[in-house]
Structures are given as structure tokens and as C-alpha cells.
Amino acid sequence: METYLKIYRWSMRMKLRMGVYTVALLFFKIIWNWINGIFSVKSVDILTIWGVCLLFAMLETVILPEGKDPTVLRTVIWIVAANIIFCGGAVLTGWFSGIPVWGTVGLVLFLELAIALMWFGDNVAMRADSVRLNRQLRQFQQQHQGKE
């Protein structure tokens, strides 16, 4: 049962991040199509976007396992993997085919911003929440220690 719960927790964390990546990438695909006068996204593009995001989210849980502090090396590997997988996926599948140089630069800058924001969320905002919640838990325990 413990193994099942471990796999379940892993998959829940991975699915959440995969969903965030998929929605973001689909958003940019929709914008690109709209700029080109196309008002739909091909099913094959949706499936390949989902597949690439699934692959990265699974790899991400290996590179940055839950409960372990991210080392500089693991963080660099995560950033490099994100760039290879997302940029490689875009090139191999042609999601943004015909994009001008300025558009490529813009997409890569957005990717770097997204990676930075995910890192910030995990390593600054979530940790600050954890510190605050732990402090509140200690205060609660101290207040209710003798009332049992």
C-alpha cells in the first residue's frame, strides 16, 4: 500500500506540473496560429505538446525529487533539460514553423521567464509558505500543549 501511495503522490505532482506546461505551451501555439490567421490548433499539435510536457514533467521529478533540496547542479540540469525538450519539441514537430527570428527570440525569452518563475515558485514562495506554516504550527502546539 505504501508503494501505491508513493506512486500516487508522484503522479499527482507530475500531472499538476504537466498541466501547467501544457496550458502555457498551447497558449503560445494558439497565439502563433492566430498571428498567422489560423483559428484552430491541429489535434496532432495538441497531442505532441501534451507528450512533450508529459516527458518533461516526468523527467523533472527525477531531476528535482520532492523532499530534497535542489542543488546547483540539479537546477542547471533541470534548466538545460527544459530548453532541450521544449525547444527540441518545437523544432521537431514544427509547432511554430515559419516563425521569424524575432519570434524565436521572444519564445525562448518567454521559456526562460517561465523556467525562472517555476523555480521562484518552488524555491522561494513555497519555502516561505512552509516556514510560515511551520511557525504557526509550533505556536498552535505551544498554546494547546497543556489543554489535553
Side-chain angles (χ1 to χ4, degrees), residues 17 64 70 75 78-79 114-125:
R17 297 181 75 92
L64 299 171
T75 302
W78 174 70
I79 293 168
I115 291 168
L117 290 173
M118 289 299 282
W119 182 90
F120 177 83
D122 287 341
N123 295 290
V124 178

Side-chain angles (χ1 to χ4, degrees), residues 17-37:
R17 297 181 75 92
M18 177 199 64
V20 169
Y21 298 138
T22 302
V23 168
L25 196 49
L26 275 173
F27 174 76
F28 283 106
K29 176 62 178 163
I30 290 166
I31 297 297
W32 174 245
N33 282 6
W34 181 77
I35 289 170
N36 286 294

Side-chain angles (χ1 to χ4, degrees), residues 44-97:
V44 70
D45 288 340
I46 294 170
L47 289 173
T48 55
I49 286 171
W50 173 79
V52 165
C53 292
L54 174 64
L55 173 68
F56 180 68
M58 291 172 71
L59 182 61
E60 180 180 47
T61 63
V62 173
I63 297 170
L64 299 171
E66 189 173 6
K68 288 190 176 180
D69 287 334
T71 63
V72 172
L73 178 61
R74 285 181 182 271
T75 302
V76 169
I77 291 170
W78 174 70
I79 293 168
V80 170
N83 279 279
I84 290 171
I85 290 173
F86 290 120
C87 293
V91 169
L92 290 174
T93 61
W95 296 326
F96 304 102
S97 60

Side-chain angles (χ1 to χ4, degrees), residues 102-115:
W102 65 264
T104 302
V105 170
L107 281 174
V108 170
L109 289 176
F110 275 120
L111 173 61
E112 301 311 317
L113 175 63
I115 291 168

